[in-house]
């Protein structure tokens, strides 16, 4: 019998070995492996994922609480704006005295009556205070901006008449960071039935508002 050339003969001898080796791999490690064998394979390490970035912490509020409202206007200003009133004022009860506080002064001197209210509202952020401020301004008409007072301020004066008695009232809304300051100042003359001049009421309300905004620096932290 003629012998095969070496490469062919070697291939013929090695083929069964290759086949058996391949069969052994399929039974031990490949898709035909028994569950026990597959279980003994070291588990592949999952791809590591980068940890999520920490959430941004909320910016600290400029004002955490409202200041004492009855100390927001100086005694000199109270005497000027509300003649005859007790300079200590009277704080109005609040459902949340930390965030909302109001002080009131009123007096009748002769036939002249004056009333002054100063209110504070502290919100959770500058954005919330801005939204509240804009909403309140939109509810009013006929007024104008007050430059140099807080971050934004608006003043409006209105005249009302009831039983022939006039009353003129001025309201100043001011925003400073996350706090709102609302000042209401009005007056009547019960002898003449007339109301004080618009300029008097407007300037008085703005004067009180400037002092009240400055008093925000005295708020507890």
């Amino acid at each position: 019998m003629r012998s095969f050339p070496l490469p062919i003969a070697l291939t013929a001898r090695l083929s069964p070995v290759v086949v058996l080796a391949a069969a052994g791999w399929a039974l031990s490690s490949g898709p035909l492996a028994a569950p026990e064998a597959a279980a003994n394979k070291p588990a592949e390490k999952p791809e590591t994922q980068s940890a999520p970035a920490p959430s941004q912490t909320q910016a600290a509020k400029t004002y955490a609480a409202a200041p004492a409202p009855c100390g927001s206007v100086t005694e000199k200003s109270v005497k000027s704006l509300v003649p005859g009133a007790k300079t200590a004022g009277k704080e109005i009860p609040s459902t949340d005295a930390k965030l909302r506080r109001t002080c009131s002064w009123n007096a009748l001197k002769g036939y002249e009556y004056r009333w002054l209210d100063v209110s504070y509202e502290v919100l959770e952020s500058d954005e919330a205070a801005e939204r509240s401020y804009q909403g309140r301004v939109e509810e009013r008409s006929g007024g104008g901006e007050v430059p140099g007072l807080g971050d934004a301020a608006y003043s409006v004066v209105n005249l009302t008449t009831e039983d022939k008695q006039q009353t003129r009232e001025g309201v100043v809304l001011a925003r400073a960071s996350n706090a709102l300051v609302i000042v209401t100042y009005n007056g009547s003359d019960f002898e003449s039935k007339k109301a004080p001049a618009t300029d008097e009421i407007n300037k008085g309300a703005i004067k009180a508002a400037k002092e009240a905004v400055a008093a925000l620096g005295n708020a507890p932290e």
Side-chain angles (χ1 to χ4, degrees):
M1 180 184 293
R2 184 170 61 88
S3 61
F4 292 105
L6 180 60
I8 298 176
L10 181 61
T11 301
R13 288 201 301 269
L14 293 179
S15 293
V17 177
V18 173
V19 171
L20 289 174
W25 171 84
L27 291 173
S28 62
S29 302
L32 300 180
E36 293 80 3
N40 291 331
K41 286 187 62 180
E44 295 182 359
K45 294 183 179 179
E47 294 183 2
T48 57
Q49 298 181 353
S50 57
S55 59
Q56 297 292 330
T57 56
Q58 186 177 3
K61 295 187 293 186
T62 302
Y63 303 108
C70 291
S72 62
V73 181
T74 64
E75 290 186 3
K76 181 179 179 180
S77 294
V78 171
K79 290 178 180 179
S80 171
L81 297 174
V82 193
K86 295 180 179 180
T87 56
K90 180 180 180 181
E91 184 162 358
I92 308 302
S94 171
T95 56
D96 190 345
K98 182 178 179 181
L99 302 180
R100 289 181 293 275
R101 300 182 72 176
T102 299
C103 188
S104 181
W105 298 262
N106 62 85
L108 176 65
K109 187 173 184 180
Y111 295 98
E112 294 283 341
Y113 181 76
R114 296 291 184 275
W115 183 296
L116 174 66
D117 277 352
V118 173
S119 297
Y120 290 102
E121 292 186 22
V122 177
L123 288 87
E124 64 271 17
S125 66
D126 290 15
E127 291 75 14
E130 173 65 16
R131 288 193 299 269
S132 181
Y133 171 81
Q134 292 296 341
R136 296 178 190 219
V137 168
E138 290 173 2
E139 293 174 355
R140 304 174 184 275
S141 60
E145 295 182 358
V146 182
L149 179 56
D151 294 315
Y154 181 85
S155 173
V156 61
V157 178
N158 291 308
L159 177 68
T160 59
T161 303
E162 185 176 352
D163 295 331
K164 298 182 179 180
Q165 175 64 60
Q166 293 182 343
T167 299
R168 184 165 273 117
E169 180 175 275
V171 177
V172 175
L173 300 169
R175 181 184 74 84
S177 298
N178 64 308
L180 295 180
V181 177
I182 304 98
V183 170
T184 304
Y185 181 50
N186 63 44
S188 301
D189 185 330
F190 291 130
E191 183 178 32
S192 67
K193 301 290 185 180
K194 301 295 183 182
T198 298
D199 193 54
E200 176 186 341
I201 294 298
N202 190 46
K203 287 183 177 179
I206 292 174
K207 177 180 177 63
K210 287 182 177 179
E211 294 185 9
V213 169
L216 280 168
N218 300 327
E221 297 181 356

